[in-house]
Amino acid sequence: MTQALVLAGGGVTGVAWETGVLLGLRDAGHDIIGHLDLVVGTSAGSTVGAQILSGTDLALLFARQTADKHNEISPQLDLDALATIFGEMALGGTTTDEQRSRVGELALGSTTVDEATRRGVIEKRLPSHEWPTTPLILTAIDAVTGEFVTWDKDSGVSLVDAVTSSCAVPSVWPCVTINKRRYYDGGLRNTANAYLATGYTDVIVIAPMTSGPSPIVNVELDDLRASGSTLRIVVADAEAVEAMGPNSLDPGFRRVAAEHGRRQGRIATF
């Protein structure tokens, strides 16, 4: 049996919630991290994937999410740009390079903090800056062509750059320069990109989505089932969604997100 873990996007609170879920699962006797054959990380999930495969204990990662002190920065949101971008995401994701290129054009034209400042935040998030030995696939999108890309240890891209690009929410954070190309958040394809786990026997999906998997995500999950994979899925419940508030990028909600994730992990049906 082969086991893959898919960690979806969800902002700063998503990082905290996913970390809590994994610790809650361990509390309940499901210590899955040491048995994984693949981790797929998109946006927030790229951070969590890199963190849990670094060798750092989950309890410490959880403690960092519940601590008052943190290294996150709160962005100034361009609500008009976000409305346009998420208009493209109305059904839960983008399906064509053309759609993603339009998002990229908005991202490249947005005023954000500089790349170095944002990269510094990601550097501090990651306990290790080396690619882990367990296969880790991270996702991003070429801001000019709209091409969906994946990074792994053989891509010739640093782990910090790979995570930073995967977390580059368009119009919120700067696009990330890698090999003279600019990239933004892989979650704009869809929040999970679960198809990357195709071929694995057991697929665990942890997704802090506000209303369950989106239509596009559902199609990929159905395809995984049809291919013979057994799926186990944890999504944020109504109680967690309400407690985490409307802005997933607000670091002030990290603690409550982590605590609700741990609660859900402890009661998840595994």
Side-chain angles (χ1 to χ4, degrees):
M1 184 182 79
T2 55
Q3 189 170 80
L5 173 64
V6 176
L7 297 165
V12 173
T13 57
V15 172
W17 180 85
E18 291 179 8
T19 304
V21 169
L22 289 166
L23 183 58
L25 287 171
R26 191 174 78 177
D27 293 341
H30 307 294
D31 190 5
I32 64 174
I33 294 174
H35 305 287
L36 294 172
D37 299 291
L38 172 72
V39 175
V40 176
T42 292
S43 198
S46 70
T47 292
V48 178
Q51 288 176 335
I52 65 172
L53 296 181
S54 69
T56 305
D57 188 76
L58 268 175
L60 178 56
L61 294 173
F62 181 84
R64 291 178 178 175
Q65 294 301 322
T66 57
D68 292 332
K69 184 178 180 180
H70 61 81
N71 296 299
E72 301 295 330
I73 53 178
S74 296
Q76 296 295 317
L77 301 182
D78 183 335
L79 297 181
D80 290 337
L82 284 171
T84 302
I85 288 166
F86 285 96
E88 294 280 358
M89 292 280 289
L91 294 178
T94 56
T95 58
T96 67
D97 288 355
E98 182 182 2
Q99 282 180 293
R100 294 189 286 267
S101 179
R102 288 198 296 268
V103 172
E105 185 176 0
L106 287 168
L108 291 168
S110 297
T111 300
T112 66
V113 299
D114 60 87
E115 283 192 59
T117 297
R118 176 59 175 164
R119 191 181 193 277
V121 171
I122 303 301
E123 284 181 330
K124 291 173 182 175
R125 278 187 190 176
L126 303 185
S128 171
H129 295 170
E130 301 299 321
W131 283 92
T133 55
T134 298
L136 173 64
I137 296 176
L138 307 180
T139 66
I141 294 169
D142 186 304
V144 175
T145 66
E147 179 188 5
F148 178 74
V149 301
T150 59
W151 310 123
D152 61 23
K153 64 181 179 62
D154 298 319
S155 298
V157 174
S158 76
L159 180 62
V160 174
D161 285 338
V163 173
T164 307
S165 68
S166 191
C167 293
V169 181
S171 84
V172 175
W173 303 119
C175 294
V176 176
T177 304
I178 298 174
N179 297 327
K180 298 182 180 180
R181 308 290 304 178
R182 305 291 300 283
Y183 296 92
Y184 68 84
D185 191 332
L188 273 290
R189 178 184 180 273
N190 70 61
T191 57
N193 298 303
Y195 84 95
L196 292 167
T198 299
Y200 287 80
T201 312
D202 182 32
V203 180
I204 300 166
V205 180
I206 299 179
M209 302 173 190
T210 57
S211 58
S214 69
I216 291 177
V217 173
N218 274 335
V219 169
E220 295 190 353
L221 297 180
D222 288 343
D223 288 345
L224 283 170
R225 292 187 186 96
S227 71
S229 296
T230 298
L231 265 61
R232 294 181 281 171
I233 304 170
V234 183
V235 298
D237 62 17
E239 186 178 350
V241 170
E242 182 177 2
M244 289 190 287
N247 182 3
S248 65
L249 301 173
D250 186 342
F253 286 85
R254 290 159 48 256
R255 177 190 295 272
V256 69
E259 290 171 345
H260 275 281
R262 190 173 191 180
R263 171 185 58 79
Q264 285 195 252
R266 286 172 168 168
I267 62 175
T269 303
F270 263 60

